Amino acid sequence: MQNNMEFGKLNVKEFNLKHTFESAQPLTFHADFNDISNTLTYFSKDRPINIRFEGNTRNGNIVIASYDIGYAINDVSRRFRINDDMRKVYKNINTDKFMEEAIESYRGMRLTLNDPWEATLVFIISQFNNVKRIRGITKKLIENFGEQITDEYGKPLGKAFPSSRILANASEKDIAKCGAGFRARYIKRASEYCTHNIDLSGLSRKPYGEIKESLMEIDGIGGKVADCIALMGYGKLEAFPIDTWVQRTLSKVYFKGKNTNIKKLQEFATDRWGKYSGYAQQYLFWYGRDIGRLNGN
DNA sequence: ACCCAGGCGGGCG
DNA sequence: CGCCCGCATGGG
């Protein structure tokens, strides 16, 4: 181990590390969270970053430990969207009683900004799947295909998220062995496409609509997954991914229980939450899921 | 045993 | 177009 561990601190309002970690966003599928010490560890490139939250949700500090504190503060700030003014966000998405309850239940949950490729892989895995299995498959892919990260003495620290190039060279069969099932083919093809035919990083300068359109060229990525990647891989807050839970919840809460099609719901969300739609979706998804499960559907 | 999960592509009418 | 179906796998 290096012996020059450095510490830094970021003051944050409306931040809850546990809610954010448990919200099944790409980073949280390969970070480690200790519930008791409220500590989260993840790798940025090959650098381990450790963060701990102290204080309360309304006002607290993220304490960061790293061997390169300048880099780490910048990284944490970016990934956890520390500069989002959550009071302003809440004011804009708190449009009714349901949203008020959703915000109250998950206050401090942040959207995260993830590497576009990580978001792409994770959300391809997410289709027709559940959160627990998505986490498991992602971890197995990292374990089986991620490059070993070591410290300066060669001591292994963990595995990196597998690059598209590595997965493009892997066999569909070996990918399937990670539990990916029928998605193995999508993963293989997307890995090839993202290595040779599209520049995911270059897309970040484009507007939301173009990003979504480009992503949908990839086999296995439709409208919902593209919206997830636009939101959590590119930070396009106007994206509003509609999955089964969101569709059910919106139908129930805003359309008198009448099952409403995606296109109509998409318009409804954009009209209601506009450039904060992504945050609205995040709270609506989790709270709607809780309520739905309580009612047994 | 049965049902469903942060959908998508393909085929059919 | 819109609708409907199958899809791997594992947990509840």
Side-chain angles (χ1 to χ4, degrees):
Chain A
M1 288 287 273
Q2 302 179 39
N3 51 16
N4 55 336
M5 178 73 83
E6 302 174 301
F7 298 91
K9 201 180 261 196
L10 280 171
N11 178 253
V12 282
K13 320 272 193 232
E14 310 292 346
F15 185 89
N16 185 304
L17 188 58
K18 183 176 164 64
H19 285 332
T20 304
F21 175 75
E22 290 176 349
S23 67
Q25 300 182 58
L27 172 66
T28 72
F29 283 126
H30 57 89
D32 288 309
F33 182 63
N34 185 317
D35 209 348
I36 294 164
S37 60
N38 213 20
T39 302
L40 183 145
T41 307
Y42 69 95
F43 289 104
S44 173
K45 306 290 179 192
D46 56 350
R47 307 179 196 204
I49 294 177
N50 182 281
I51 69 177
R52 178 168 54 84
F53 183 76
E54 56 179 37
N56 60 61
T57 299
R58 304 290 178 144
N59 188 0
N61 290 302
I62 299 176
V63 181
I64 306 169
S66 166
Y67 298 112
D68 183 348
I69 198 63
Y71 176 88
I73 288 175
N74 195 43
D75 193 82
V76 170
S77 175
R78 189 179 132 78
R79 283 182 196 246
F80 291 92
R81 305 190 59 103
I82 297 309
N83 293 323
D84 284 349
D85 182 348
M86 293 307 290
R87 288 175 184 171
K88 191 169 165 188
V89 170
Y90 288 150
K91 202 177 160 193
N92 278 275
I93 66 173
N94 188 0
T95 49
D96 52 78
K97 183 76 179 149
F98 183 84
M99 288 305 293
E100 187 181 336
E101 289 170 9
I103 293 165
E104 229 21 73
S105 300
Y106 284 96
R107 183 170 282 279
M109 178 170 63
R110 295 293 184 123
L111 281 170
T112 59
L113 182 59
N114 302 270
D115 173 80
W117 165 246
E118 293 189 13
T120 299
L121 180 59
V122 165
F123 285 113
I124 286 175
I125 295 168
S126 80
Q127 64 172 92
F128 194 48
N129 211 342
N130 60 58
V131 171
K132 191 165 281 185
R133 284 196 69 231
I134 299 165
R135 194 183 293 280
I137 295 166
T138 306
K139 282 195 182 296
K140 270 185 195 156
L141 285 170
I142 292 170
E143 186 53 39
N144 291 356
F145 296 105
E147 293 193 51
Q148 186 66 245
I149 297 172
T150 59
D151 68 8
E152 58 181 326
Y153 304 112
K155 183 190 164 210
L157 298 174
K159 294 274 182 79
F161 196 91
S163 65
S164 67
R165 186 171 295 280
I166 288 178
L167 288 172
N169 291 327
S171 73
E172 189 181 319
K173 201 173 172 183
D174 285 342
I175 294 171
K177 275 184 196 159
C178 299
F182 68 90
R183 305 166 198 81
R185 172 153 49 135
Y186 292 145
I187 293 171
K188 168 84 172 160
R189 289 198 187 171
S191 301
E192 290 168 346
Y193 198 80
C194 291
T195 304
H196 303 295
N197 303 75
I198 192 172
D199 175 18
L200 286 182
S201 318
L203 275 184
S204 57
R205 282 173 277 112
K206 309 268 187 182
Y208 161 65
E210 281 184 47
I211 290 175
K212 183 173 178 179
E213 201 177 326
S214 298
L215 290 169
M216 287 177 70
E217 291 170 9
I218 302 171
D219 192 24
I221 297 185
K224 189 270 175 182
V225 167
D227 271 330
C228 282
I229 302 167
L231 181 60
M232 297 176 219
Y234 293 93
K236 299 299 179 184
L237 297 186
E238 65 267 50
F240 188 85
I242 301 180
D243 70 299
T244 51
W245 288 110
V246 171
Q247 182 171 22
R248 278 205 287 263
T249 304
L250 287 180
S251 297
K252 188 159 55 184
V253 177
Y254 302 103
F255 293 85
K256 300 175 181 174
K258 194 170 157 243
N259 200 300
T260 310
N261 68 50
I262 306 276
K263 188 176 154 65
K264 208 163 191 172
L265 295 176
Q266 204 75 252
E267 286 170 13
F268 174 82
T270 300
D271 184 54
R272 195 173 184 85
W273 298 298
K275 60 179 180 177
Y276 299 100
S277 291
Y279 267 110
Q281 189 271 359
Q282 183 69 6
Y283 282 81
L284 206 145
F285 171 82
W286 287 101
Y287 189 61
R289 193 168 172 269
D290 293 343
I291 298 299
R293 288 188 159 175
L294 275 179
N295 298 337
N297 51 331

